[in-house]
Amino acid sequence: MGMEGIGARVARKEDKRFLTGKGRYTDDMVVAGMKFAYFVRSPHAHAKITGIDAAAAKAMPGVIDVLDGRQLQADGIGNLICGWMIHSKDGSPMKMGAWRPLAVDTVRYVGDAVAIVVADSAAEARDAAEAVIVDYDELPAVTTSLAALGDGAPQIHPEAPGNLIFDWQIGDALAADKAIAEAAHVTEIEILNNRLSPNPMEPRATLGIYDSAEDHFTCYTTSQNPHVARLVMSAFYNVAPENKLRVIAPDVGGGFGSKIYIYPEEIVCLWASKKTGVPVKWTSDRTEAFLTDAHGRDHVSKVKMAFDKDHRITALKVDTIANLGAYMSLFSSAVPTYLYATLLSGQYAIPAIHANVRTVYTNTVPVDAYRGAGRPEATYLLERTMETAARELGLSPAELRRKNFIRSFPYQTPVIMTYDAGDYEASLNAAMQAADWDGFAARRAEAERRGKKRGIGMSCYIEACGIAPSQAVGSLGAGVGLWESAEVRVNAVGTIEVLTGSHSHGQGHETTFAQLVADRLGVPISSVNIVHGDTDKVQMGMGTYGSRSGAVGMSAIVKALDKVEMKAKKIAAHLMEADESDIVIENGELKVAGTDKVLPWFQVALAAYTAHNLPAGMEPGLKESAFYDPSNFTFPAGCYIAEVEIDPETGKTEIVQFVAADDFGNIINPLIVEGQVHGGLAQGIGQALLEEVRYDEATGQILTASYMDYAMPRADDLPSFTLSHQNTPCPGNPLGIKGCGEAGAIGSPPALINAITDAIGIKYLTMPATPLKVWTALQGAAMPMAAE
Amino acid sequence: MYATSYHRASSVGEAVNLRASHDEGRYVSGGMTLIATMKQRLAAPSDLIDLRHIADLRGISVEGRSVRIGAATPHADVAGSAALRTVCPALCHLAGLIGDPHVRNMGTIGGSVANNDPAADYPSAVLALNATVVTDRREIAADDFFLGMFDTALEEAEMITAFRFEAPEKAGYAKFPNPASRYAITGVFVAKTAGGARVAVTGAGSSGVFRVPEMEAALLSSWAPESVANVSVDPAQLMSDLHATAEYRANLVRVMAKRAVQASL
Ligand SMILES: Cc1cc2nc3c(=O)[nH]c(=O)nc-3n(C[C@H](O)[C@H](O)[C@H](O)COP(=O)(O)OP(=O)(O)OC[C@H]3O[C@@H](n4cnc5c(N)ncnc54)[C@H](O)[C@@H]3O)c2cc1C
């Protein structure tokens, strides 16, 4: 593998910049004449706008202009869209209500943008925003999906009667019903997946710059996919044609999904820059982030799982309601459908599966993909059900899972996916061994003597990464293709720039992608630069989410490197008068195999650019690009085990050990992969024990809009994790890698809830398992059913 | 934050005069509460009178068993004071549980007690230790100082300068932190003082910090965890919010009281 090649534990190149405060984020960008924006936002969850009076605000010191939704509409700026079409089971298309970048007649959640104030300073803009008088006629609001579907619920969008966006299904209902009717045992459970706020460290920000000389826009933004941002802003929002719009996502401080989408602020700041003639910058504060960053999860499900007399699963039937909030965010329709229900087979051979999913509007922040996106919901549902079934059937959780594991590949599930490779038992065994599962009874007895309740729980997760291929996702309703692009530019001195259409916002591309080049060419990673996040530099790309940068993005780089190598070998063969097929690339040199003839890499690069002596007919230069469209998803999988101790006097849960055994296929940089798992586990543990967005159901006000009430995991909430890796290389891509970014967040919540319910001996416990809830359960109080 | 004028006072007298001449002015000590509130535009003082540079307001002195803590002493100094640790380690422990290192290095005991947040830690110690709140103009007994949530006996422009108390024979503090804010959902400070046993509860009461006479009586007859373990507190006088119901808080009062006594031994 070499010191810096594939598999090496290389420290991240980008960390020096980040750790010394030298990262360059959107809010760090300063351009001449730049002014500042503040958004006037709705204080109501649901109201009619009856008037906007900005006269006083416009007269305030430093104010350049105040602009509202009518002006935006008059200028032909389009509505925000959801880019994935889902059809209901009756064949009708999803019922998308209009999402105007600035509300015109109606506001639909607390935080809905109503007007933008542009001023000399952010403080003046904010002062003036307070002086904008918006008259509202308040309407009744609804915040939960169940209430939104109820009789007489407030109607949120005229396009979606009864607030129902779509009523979709997948799988075979008849087969599932038949198997359930004939089953030896049916486990029934209700599952609630709590609503989360993504909380990236860097809040969203954007800087819109209109250049009247060129009639050209530049948008700096905190985006996970700047090219998609440009595409939709051009094609749907009429901001500017693509050739007149440059989108730059510089250093981005975390996204977790929330920065995939285009939000109103980018569009409005670009438009406002043209309107006012000054560059307009907006930076969210933390409260605004809670109020406007797309939330995650919020599912309510009913589950039936059927078993035969040998404890083999014969069917799974799921009925889910997903809360999509006040508007359909960019990929919101895909999350509770193709990213969720297609994973409901888990690691198990289930002959019949049927899932029905209804999505609904509520007067809450739009809900979209958040780390894992659909797959955590599927895993939580399945693994809570499996654990409950094992308890009902009197089997050990491991035994029930072993009985049902898929063991031969490829495996076609009844819900679209074809799993390509895996060894689920290997991860299960590794995790149980690492956790000393067999010693648990003794540990529990010891804890009992200390007055503590100890429990253990497992979760066997599967996820689908690198969402693809383009043709397949297109047939399922995606508005985009899901390939990736790469360009490898070898400079005349042999240093290398790799351009990628994926985007790094914490994943470590600058290191791992350079390691790939180092591995192939034997050059040091210091001579390789990764370029991303700028539509003027990288022609096109699909960005980063769904753990796709490695499996898809690096595969594109492999293809481009193949071409570069081929050309370099041709040049070297020509210069050394050897046969092209005898040239090998090793340690930064091109050699004629079996001889002592050798040319350093930089000389071949230089030869390509001097072009003094190239093979006949060869073009000068050494630069190649490639597009890679995968043939399938990749399927990382693993087994997580949580062991907890509960203080029965307070209900507080302490995680005494957490074991993660993951199969990510081949690994480029174990250090970075471990970091990704740690981060994912922290977020999964956050979901299981701490985090939840809460609304006041009567008023629609968000109750958890700061860290005083929204509990983020801190270092001392987490144990030291025990990690291991199993490896069944992915057969579908040239590097055999599967992806690791979301696994921790997907696999950990059910392991924890299974452990806690094991410790206190109850069936139902909703996330987050706060001390209050656990203590209440311990008092013997009936736990509310999930879908109460 | 709205515009404000900043004044750095160098003596108590100067600060009090400055404050008295600005109706809409406020003292700022560590700023850990006030500045955050101003940033959220929930407070808009016209003038800030900074107390942190007044030498008399800072520092901890221990003479025999008499303790004096200046109002502008940061939590970190209280947590780390060797002299205080020898006579009242429970107070050092309490200060070390407040917020995070940044907050402990900025936030001050005077600011915390003047603010009287119902979930703050210090009020329970001041009340249980039967401390005297010394101000620029008088001395106020702890029992007379805390009037309710965010409400104290301080008059307009009155400044806390110090806290004085006799070190207790035994004292302990146990806190159950809010999972989000890490303020106290319930914190109980117990002290065996010359005047008897005192038990003060913060975080739980619907009108701020309060004493539990039944627990005090039980501890007077026997200073042992079991004495308080079964003394119940009426949930009707406790807060209910997202993080804890009144019933849960009532339970925590008992459990934390027991643990505080345990810690005092
Ligand atoms: C992230 C975070 C976590 C925290 N966690 C905790 C916690 O776990 N437990 C806890 O108890 N607290 C916590 N706090 C609050 C912290 O302890 C504050 O320092 C304290 O509440 C206020 O003290 P201060 O010196 O910062 O006062 P300031 O913010 O400066 O002032 C607070 C108020 O007191 C007034 N005031 C200040 N000094 C005086 C004086 N000498 N005389 C009269 N009035 C005065 C001010 O005018 C103002 O109204 C936390 C704060 C933060 C930011």
Side-chain angles (χ1 to χ4, degrees):
Chain A
M1 67 173 155
M3 298 276 286
E4 297 182 326
I6 290 175
R9 295 179 76 87
V10 179
R12 299 205 317 175
K13 287 173 75 176
E14 48 270 73
D15 280 349
K16 185 175 176 200
R17 168 168 103 246
F18 295 147
L19 294 174
T20 56
K22 290 178 184 154
R24 296 265 291 153
Y25 298 88
T26 296
D27 188 56
D28 294 320
M29 301 302 157
V30 175
V31 296
M34 184 175 83
K35 304 296 178 188
F36 299 84
Y38 195 82
F39 282 84
V40 178
R41 297 188 183 279
S42 169
H44 305 296
H46 198 191
K48 286 260 170 247
I49 300 174
T50 56
I52 300 177
D53 180 356
K58 283 184 185 171
M60 303 249 311
V63 174
I64 292 159
D65 210 346
V66 180
L67 303 167
D68 67 23
R70 290 204 184 278
Q71 291 165 287
L72 188 92
Q73 209 173 15
D75 284 355
I77 302 295
N79 295 338
L80 284 92
I81 55 139
C82 175
W84 195 304
M85 172 52 74
I86 299 289
H87 287 86
S88 286
K89 54 195 180 197
D90 67 5
S92 63
M94 63 190 188
K95 304 192 169 51
M96 182 161 57
W99 184 5
R100 308 196 195 287
L102 293 174
V104 174
D105 299 314
T106 309
V107 287
R108 295 185 174 84
Y109 71 101
V110 175
D112 213 347
V114 173
I116 180 175
V117 179
V118 181
D120 289 341
S121 71
E124 285 167 321
R126 190 169 175 181
D127 285 343
E130 289 180 2
V132 176
I133 300 160
V134 185
D135 292 321
Y136 295 102
D137 270 356
E138 267 189 82
L139 298 168
V142 62
T143 62
T144 69
S145 53
L146 287 173
L149 286 178
D151 287 341
Q155 175 69 41
I156 297 170
H157 286 278
E159 297 87 345
N163 301 317
L164 182 67
I165 301 170
F166 58 75
D167 183 355
W168 172 90
Q169 64 176 355
I170 191 170
D172 187 337
L174 286 178
D177 287 339
K178 183 162 178 287
I180 288 167
E182 293 167 358
H185 177 85
V186 178
T187 290
E188 294 190 39
I189 187 167
E190 299 184 19
I191 299 282
L192 196 139
N193 208 293
N194 44 329
R195 187 184 182 106
L196 305 170
S197 177
N199 284 298
M201 216 185 282
E202 180 206 21
R204 289 192 296 118
T206 187
L207 167 57
I209 306 166
Y210 176 67
D211 174 353
S212 59
E214 303 288 342
D215 190 27
H216 179 277
F217 292 86
T218 302
C219 173
Y220 284 92
T221 183
T222 48
S223 175
Q224 297 177 219
N225 51 353
H227 291 88
V228 176
R230 181 170 78 153
L231 172 67
V232 295
M233 284 199 279
S234 295
F236 299 100
Y237 309 151
N238 296 331
V239 173
E242 274 180 301
N243 62 326
K244 293 290 185 187
L245 174 59
R246 176 184 185 186
V247 178
I248 305 170
D251 282 334
V252 174
F256 312 118
S258 70
K259 292 174 182 168
I260 298 173
Y261 331 113
I262 319 309
Y263 289 85
E265 291 85 0
E266 283 103 331
I267 304 165
V268 175
C269 285
L270 285 167
W271 167 74
S273 174
K274 183 171 182 180
K275 279 294 246 207
T276 57
V278 293
V280 176
K281 183 197 272 182
W282 168 79
T283 302
S284 166
D285 64 25
R286 189 56 70 183
T287 306
E288 258 179 319
F290 276 109
L291 290 179
T292 66
D293 289 3
H295 289 170
R297 321 268 199 268
D298 202 341
H299 280 200
V300 179
S301 301
K302 291 189 172 156
V303 187
K304 281 185 190 167
M305 188 182 264
F307 294 86
D308 67 15
K309 62 178 183 357
D310 300 321
H311 306 135
R312 273 183 236 287
I313 310 169
T314 55
L316 174 72
K317 200 162 177 191
V318 175
D319 182 8
T320 293
I321 307 173
N323 185 343
L324 296 193
Y327 299 103
M328 290 189 79
S329 175
L330 194 61
F331 289 116
S332 57
S333 57
V335 177
T337 51
Y338 291 110
L339 296 179
Y340 161 68
T342 55
L343 270 298
L344 283 172
S345 197
Q347 300 187 351
Y348 314 112
I350 306 180
I353 298 179
H354 180 259
N356 195 95
V357 178
R358 284 171 289 168
T359 53
V360 299
Y361 280 122
T362 60
N363 296 110
T364 62
V365 177
V367 178
D368 206 326
Y370 166 66
R371 201 169 192 166
R375 294 149 290 180
E377 293 90 313
T379 301
Y380 184 68
L381 179 145
L382 212 48
E383 291 304 290
R384 286 286 295 127
T385 307
M386 284 300 274
E387 197 79 13
T388 307
R391 288 173 196 167
E392 288 174 358
L393 295 167
L395 264 67
S396 84
E399 193 184 345
L400 184 65
R401 288 175 169 91
R402 281 201 172 98
K403 275 206 164 127
N404 288 286
F405 278 151
I406 292 162
R407 290 170 191 278
S408 74
F409 298 89
Y411 176 85
Q412 175 65 52
T413 74
V415 279
I416 298 181
M417 294 296 184
T418 309
Y419 299 168
D420 53 4
D423 183 349
Y424 307 137
E425 189 144 21
S427 292
L428 179 81
N429 290 339
M432 288 178 73
Q433 200 176 349
D436 182 23
W437 185 279
D438 295 338
F440 173 72
R443 296 195 293 278
R444 170 177 267 176
E446 186 276 330
E448 193 89 47
R449 288 195 287 278
R450 285 185 284 111
K452 296 288 170 67
K453 291 185 177 293
R454 201 160 171 127
I456 194 163
M458 66 166 56
S459 144
C460 296
Y461 77 90
I462 188 161
E463 68 157 320
C465 293
I467 172 171
S470 298
Q471 199 187 353
V473 297
S475 74
L476 300 179
V480 290
L482 286 163
W483 43 264
E484 200 41 84
S485 78
E487 187 175 316
V488 176
R489 294 183 188 159
V490 182
N491 298 318
V493 290
T495 57
I496 295 163
E497 277 131 23
V498 176
L499 284 67
T500 174
S502 67
H503 184 275
S504 182
H505 32 279
Q507 292 85 350
H509 291 20
E510 291 169 43
T511 307
T512 44
F513 287 18
Q515 282 180 263
L516 167 60
V517 178
D519 199 80
R520 290 286 296 261
L521 304 179
V523 298
I525 59 171
S526 59
S527 68
V528 184
N529 266 35
I530 308 301
V531 178
H532 67 91
D534 183 340
T535 58
D536 262 13
K537 293 179 181 166
V538 179
Q539 183 235 338
M540 188 56 181
M542 297 313 296
T544 288
Y545 38 82
S547 304
R548 68 188 300 280
S549 298
V552 189
M554 287 179 94
S555 296
I557 299 173
V558 168
K559 277 185 76 178
L561 278 171
D562 287 345
K563 297 183 195 175
V564 165
E565 275 189 17
M566 204 190 303
K567 185 165 181 184
K569 281 180 179 173
K570 280 203 172 87
I571 298 170
H574 176 74
L575 293 175
M576 292 189 282
E577 293 170 344
D579 194 87
E580 198 188 315
S581 61
D582 290 333
I583 306 290
V584 290
I585 301 180
E586 258 175 36
N587 298 326
E589 293 174 332
L590 290 96
K591 298 177 182 165
V592 183
T595 73
D596 57 3
K597 283 191 189 172
V598 54
L599 273 176
W601 171 252
F602 80 87
Q603 268 186 23
V604 176
L606 191 62
Y609 287 95
T610 58
H612 295 162
N613 184 11
L614 290 177
M618 181 184 273
E619 286 179 17
L622 193 50
K623 179 189 96 163
E624 300 288 350
S625 61
F627 285 75
Y628 172 78
D629 196 354
S631 55
N632 192 359
F633 286 80
T634 66
F635 296 95
C639 177
Y640 289 177
I641 293 174
E643 192 166 330
V644 301
E645 240 177 55
I646 287 161
D647 177 351
E649 290 187 324
T650 63
K652 177 144 174 69
T653 298
E654 185 197 346
I655 305 171
V656 286
Q657 69 161 337
F658 198 100
V659 173
D662 294 292
D663 179 354
F664 297 137
N666 293 332
I667 285 174
I668 308 293
N669 183 330
L671 197 62
I672 288 181
V673 168
E674 286 161 16
Q676 288 285 315
V677 175
H678 284 199
L681 289 177
Q683 282 177 308
I685 291 169
Q687 166 159 33
L689 300 185
L690 297 159
E691 297 183 47
E692 182 170 40
V693 173
R694 298 273 296 270
Y695 282 91
D696 182 302
E697 288 185 26
T699 63
Q701 295 291 331
I702 183 167
L703 300 174
T704 49
S706 84
Y707 295 133
M708 292 298 283
D709 290 305
Y710 189 89
M712 290 289 284
R714 294 166 165 90
D716 65 356
D717 290 314
L718 308 171
S720 191
F721 304 122
T722 308
L723 308 188
S724 69
H725 299 299
Q726 295 69 54
N727 182 2
T728 57
C730 173
N733 64 54
L735 294 167
I737 59 182
K738 298 182 179 178
C740 66
E742 297 149 295
I746 293 171
S748 54
L752 278 154
I753 301 301
N754 288 341
I756 297 170
T757 51
D758 176 55
I760 62 179
I762 60 166
K763 177 175 177 180
Y764 285 110
L765 182 67
T766 59
M767 298 190 288
T770 59
L772 168 65
K773 273 191 208 160
V774 173
W775 179 83
T776 308
L778 280 167
Q779 302 318 298
M783 267 284 116
M785 296 285 275
E788 157 196 52
Chain B
M1 192 183 290
Y2 298 102
T4 188
S5 302
Y6 172 86
H7 310 269
R8 176 178 289 187
S10 49
S11 71
V12 170
E14 184 192 352
V16 173
N17 284 338
L18 276 166
R19 176 68 186 80
S21 57
H22 297 286
D23 280 355
E24 298 297 314
R26 288 276 278 277
Y27 296 121
V28 63
S29 191
M32 290 291 95
T33 294
L34 183 55
I35 302 292
T37 318
M38 289 170 67
K39 281 186 180 172
Q40 290 172 300
R41 299 189 160 210
L42 299 173
S46 62
D47 295 80
L48 285 181
I49 296 112
D50 190 350
L51 307 182
R52 284 173 310 166
H53 303 275
I54 302 173
D56 289 351
L57 291 184
R58 267 184 104 118
I60 299 166
S61 73
V62 179
E63 281 166 29
R65 298 198 65 79
S66 299
V67 179
R68 180 188 182 281
I69 302 176
T73 307
H75 312 328
D77 289 7
V78 174
S81 166
L84 185 60
R85 191 167 296 276
T86 55
V87 296
C88 189
L91 192 57
C92 304
H93 173 66
L94 174 148
L97 296 176
I98 297 175
D100 51 48
H102 308 279
V103 171
R104 291 197 289 276
N105 279 296
M106 290 296 288
T108 66
I109 184 169
S112 176
V113 173
N115 193 49
N116 194 19
D117 186 309
D121 294 289
Y122 269 128
S124 66
V126 170
L127 190 56
L129 292 168
N130 197 16
T132 301
V133 182
V134 184
T135 77
D136 63 294
R137 59 198 71 165
R138 59 179 170 152
E139 300 199 343
I140 309 171
D143 281 319
D144 301 327
F145 184 82
F146 300 104
L147 302 184
M149 285 197 189
F150 300 104
D151 192 10
T152 68
L154 289 175
E155 293 163 1
E156 182 69 18
E158 185 170 8
M159 183 207 299
I160 302 177
T161 55
F163 299 89
R164 279 206 327 257
F165 62 92
E166 291 299 301
E169 193 182 314
K170 292 191 173 82
Y173 182 63
K175 169 180 183 176
F176 194 78
N178 178 313
S181 71
R182 299 260 174 118
Y183 276 70
I185 276 189
T186 294
V188 179
F189 201 104
V190 297
K192 194 174 184 184
T193 69
R198 292 174 69 101
V199 176
V201 178
T202 190
S206 44
S207 44
V209 64
F210 67 95
R211 287 172 63 187
V212 189
E214 299 82 357
M215 286 186 175
E216 294 178 353
L219 285 173
L220 196 61
S221 50
S222 165
W223 186 270
E226 304 78 57
S227 302
V228 290
N230 294 312
V231 180
S232 56
V233 179
D234 182 5
Q237 68 176 96
L238 304 183
M239 284 191 283
S240 232
D241 56 31
L242 279 187
H243 305 283
T245 57
E247 290 71 26
Y248 180 54
R249 280 195 163 91
N251 168 68
L252 287 177
V253 172
R254 273 191 293 119
V255 175
M256 293 302 122
K258 184 177 84 174
R259 290 181 187 182
V261 177
Q262 185 74 52
S264 76
L265 299 175

